[in-house]
Amino acid sequence: MIRRQHSRRTQGATNDRLLRRAPRALAATLGAVLVAGLATVVAAPAHAATTVTISGSVKDEQGHPVSATVQYYSWVSNASIDATTKADGSFTISGATPGKSDLTAAPVVDDHVLASATWDGTKSVEGYGASFTVPSTSVSGVDLVLPPATGILGTATDLAGNPLPNIGWTVLEWRPQEQDWYPPQMGPLITDEKGQMWWRTEVGKTYRLCFMDDFYVDDDWVPSQRYADRCWDDEATQDTATDITVTATNRRQELTVALTPAGKSLVPGTPWVTGSAAVGGVLTVDPGTWIPGDTALTYQWGTWEGSTRVDFPGATGRTYSPTAAQAGDSIFVVVTGTRAGYKTTSQYGYAGTVGRPSPTLSAPLTISGTPTVGSTLQVKYGMVTPATDNPAMFTWYVDGRATNQGMSSGDTSYVVAPGDVGKRISVHMTVSGSSGYNELHAAASTVVTGTLTAPKPTISGTLAVGSTLTAKPGTWGPAPVTLAYQWYRAGSKITGATASTYKLTASDQAKTLTVHVIGTKTGYARAETYSSPTTAIQGVLTAPTPTISGTRAVGSKLTAVPGTWGPSPVTLKYQWYRSGTAISGATASTYTPTTSDRAKTLTVHVTGSKSGFVTAVRGSAATAAILGKLTTKTPTISGTAKVGQTLKATAGTWGPSPVTLTYQWYRGSTAISGAKSSSYKLVTADKGATIKVRVTGTKTGYLTASTYSAASAKVG
């Protein structure tokens, strides 16, 4: 394992120019604050308005011009001026203020081939730190010489040689007097987009280079693959790493270390230790939120002895009580997350110095405000004892991930965003105590609850026994929302009626129904809405299909036979239809077809109504086409009623013409076999009987009609 001491100092950069300008900016800021604070008693000195020009060149040790940035800083006016060298290496700074100043040059391209240089007033010196006094007249001949860079240019790659950005690294320096390997006291130190790092070294000293894929500070950096720790030269630990001794001939060394895959990336939480570091006190660590959520977490409490981590035996729980033997030790807790297929990672939480008291709060840290979208959450806490001039610092977290607000004394509030619904909002409070005190650590949290859009449901369907009603929930949001249903009969829950549809039963008759819709969604408050009650549910009549009786011919009465409706009594109404069209005024149970009905079909609709029941309508089957009525005549017989004589039938005029006529002769009331013509010759069997004839008329679309003649005299 590669050990890295986690410094609590301000994180810094490794770029020479950035490191140089940071103290200047800090000094300037502090100076401004002090001047502002003393403004009421000390007048700020007036600076001369005179400015001068500084000119010179920037070259390497071989005299070649260097493309460089020249930075000028005035301690008098707190002004900075930058210039870029020309092709011949020359530069000019205009507007310099006479007095104490810094003048530094560094390559424009930071490829770590050349180092920076500073002007000390008479000559160029390597690095930073020198100042000089600018006279009241312009200065020329400021010739800066950039020496070769001294350091380690390391590159982290995968096994295929591809550069790996954002890989943590450390350069350990051997300290002969302390007999230990000392790490950089800044961080995080990570490779750039080319997978490279740079560390300035000194001739005569010995170093070790190690890469650790443990950069988890940026939540936006969650690579699909993590890599195992590796040191130069292809060693697994810093204890076995190859020494890198810097000599005058190898001042700049380029070293590449290939890293092997170690699994997917966990997203670790931020350990936060609260409680008392006093001997016998209780410290508790909140490990933060780790992703995936089923990551197994272990704990180890310990301290540092120089650059060596020392674990406390058996101190492997979330809580720890410091002992007297640890008095004066600065202790920490290491939270380690493991999960199959993922690279194991560890995060440190600082606990304070054993034996030092911690400031206390007269009232605990809490979060006030309603945890809903758009609301402002506010920290509340009591007085800090003992009082301190150091402000309380706050860091807000959403589900364990620090917000973009960072740590600030002004971040006492947080506005809940739409994306926070269902998440835990927490705040960490840090107060640096007076001399001899540990920091005060406090935490509070709350869960953001969303509000669902929950419209009032409606009910569709026929409000009658046997019909199916459907609950229309409306549009709930934000989608998707899980909906559940419960139907009620006259305010009482209907057992088992928990679907979005409900089929009405006899128990529902004369009752009202409502539906209760319940919406649920993770991170949102449960919402419930009720429909308006329906009108009373109606019963269903027994309604048979009616039939039509009677002769289906013009002039013949037809009768609607409704069948037995119930429950009795049921009021029935009728409507007759001609080929599907209602016949005006035909609203009785009987109907006599007219000539308008000929060749048409007839139906009858029976409507049954009864209070508390759904009005029912039943239609009969259609009749066959209604037949017309022939115009008939009574036939007559001519001839002598005597055996051997012939009688003749005269049918008269039938209509509408043409009408097909047929005949049948009768002896008394008995049809005479074969006597089917318009004439008949009397035979012996007819003697003593009367004779008559029947004329039958037929025509397509008309009702067949028959008429009889009067009987003849008795046949002699």
Side-chain angles (χ1 to χ4, degrees), residues 278-292:
V279 173
V282 177
L283 296 169
T284 301
V285 61
D286 176 356
T289 302
W290 290 64
I291 301 173

Side-chain angles (χ1 to χ4, degrees), residues 520-676:
T520 56
K521 182 181 177 73
T522 301
Y524 288 76
R526 169 188 169 111
E528 304 181 31
T529 56
Y530 289 83
S531 70
S532 297
T534 65
T535 55
I537 302 302
Q538 294 181 301
V540 176
L541 293 171
T542 300
T545 300
T547 59
I548 298 174
S549 65
T551 301
R552 57 179 182 88
V554 174
S556 297
K557 181 187 291 186
L558 300 179
T559 300
V561 181
T564 303
W565 291 59
S568 183
V570 178
T571 300
L572 301 180
K573 293 182 179 180
Y574 302 85
Q575 176 64 59
W576 292 83
Y577 290 79
R578 177 188 299 122
S579 294
T581 301
I583 302 171
S584 177
T587 56
S589 61
T590 61
Y591 174 69
T592 300
T594 68
T595 55
S596 298
D597 300 312
R598 189 181 70 79
K600 306 291 197 306
T601 61
L602 294 177
T603 54
V604 67
H605 286 186
V606 180
T607 300
S609 61
K610 181 181 176 71
S611 178
F613 288 77
V614 177
T615 296
V617 179
R618 295 291 183 270
S620 70
T623 65
I626 299 300
L627 299 174
K629 186 176 182 181
L630 292 173
T631 300
T632 65
K633 292 292 184 178
T634 301
T636 60
I637 299 173
S638 62
T640 303
K642 185 175 181 180
V643 174
Q645 295 296 311
T646 298
L647 300 181
K648 184 177 180 181
T650 300
T653 302
W654 291 56
S657 181
V659 177
T660 300
L661 300 177
T662 59
Y663 300 85
Q664 176 64 58
W665 292 86
Y666 288 80
R667 181 183 297 119
S669 61
T670 301
I672 302 170
S673 178
K676 295 183 179 294

Side-chain angles (χ1 to χ4, degrees), residues 49-73:
T50 303
T51 60
V52 299
T53 298
I54 302 172
S55 61
S57 65
V58 180
K59 299 181 179 179
D60 62 15
E61 290 183 344
Q62 286 73 43
H64 302 127
V66 176
S67 176
T69 299
V70 181
Q71 297 179 327
Y72 163 81
Y73 173 73

Side-chain angles (χ1 to χ4, degrees), residues 289-595:
T289 302
W290 290 64
I291 301 173
D294 59 352
T295 300
L297 302 179
T298 58
Y299 305 88
Q300 178 63 62
W301 298 80
T303 188
W304 291 99
E305 292 183 0
S307 60
T308 303
R309 178 179 135 180
V310 178
D311 294 340
F312 299 149
T316 57
R318 286 187 60 180
T319 60
Y320 180 69
S321 294
T323 66
Q326 294 156 0
D329 289 344
S330 292
I331 63 175
F332 58 79
V333 62
V334 183
V335 182
T336 300
T338 57
R339 191 179 191 272
Y342 289 74
K343 181 183 178 181
T344 297
T345 187
S346 298
Q347 297 292 303
Y348 284 71
Y350 180 65
T353 301
V354 177
R356 286 185 182 178
S358 297
T360 59
L361 293 173
S362 61
L365 175 68
T366 59
I367 297 175
S368 65
T370 303
T372 56
V373 173
S375 296
T376 298
L377 304 180
Q378 189 78 31
V379 297
K380 293 182 65 177
Y381 56 95
M383 297 292 295
V384 178
T385 304
T388 175
D389 292 334
N390 299 319
M393 307 293 286
F394 300 93
T395 304
W396 291 87
Y397 295 83
V398 177
D399 261 2
R401 313 263 72 82
T403 66
N404 293 331
Q405 296 178 205
M407 176 184 283
S408 170
S409 60
D411 286 335
T412 58
S413 63
Y414 176 77
V415 178
V416 180
D420 297 336
V421 171
K423 298 179 180 179
R424 180 171 294 278
I425 306 298
S426 56
V427 62
H428 290 176
M429 173 183 178
T430 303
V431 179
S432 297
S434 304
S435 178
Y437 280 80
N438 284 320
E439 287 183 343
L440 182 152
H441 283 187
S445 65
T446 187
V447 175
V448 176
T449 302
T451 301
L452 292 174
T453 300
K456 185 175 182 177
T458 58
I459 296 174
S460 66
T462 302
L463 302 177
V465 172
S467 296
T468 297
L469 301 182
T470 300
K472 301 291 186 181
T475 303
W476 289 61
V481 178
T482 301
L483 300 180
Y485 301 86
Q486 177 61 61
W487 293 84
Y488 288 80
R489 178 190 300 124
S492 297
K493 184 184 296 185
I494 303 173
T495 302
T498 56
S500 61
T501 59
Y502 173 68
K503 187 173 183 179
L504 295 165
T505 69
S507 299
D508 302 313
Q509 187 173 340
K511 307 291 197 309
T512 60
L513 266 77
T514 53
V515 67
H516 178 200
V517 182
I518 305 98
T520 56
K521 182 181 177 73
T522 301
Y524 288 76
R526 169 188 169 111
E528 304 181 31
T529 56
Y530 289 83
S531 70
S532 297
T534 65
T535 55
I537 302 302
Q538 294 181 301
V540 176
L541 293 171
T542 300
T545 300
T547 59
I548 298 174
S549 65
T551 301
R552 57 179 182 88
V554 174
S556 297
K557 181 187 291 186
L558 300 179
T559 300
V561 181
T564 303
W565 291 59
S568 183
V570 178
T571 300
L572 301 180
K573 293 182 179 180
Y574 302 85
Q575 176 64 59
W576 292 83
Y577 290 79
R578 177 188 299 122
S579 294
T581 301
I583 302 171
S584 177
T587 56
S589 61
T590 61
Y591 174 69
T592 300
T594 68
T595 55

Side-chain angles (χ1 to χ4, degrees), residues 100-158:
K100 182 179 179 181
S101 303
D102 291 349
L103 190 71
T104 303
V108 170
V109 179
D110 195 11
D111 55 6
H112 311 296
V113 174
L114 297 175
S116 59
T118 303
W119 186 253
D120 71 354
T122 60
K123 64 183 181 301
S124 175
V125 295
E126 182 177 353
Y128 299 94
S131 298
F132 74 107
T133 301
V134 175
S136 58
T137 59
S138 294
V139 180
S140 61
V142 179
D143 297 323
L144 294 161
V145 179
L146 304 188
T150 301
I152 297 171
L153 180 63
T155 303
T157 71
D158 60 17

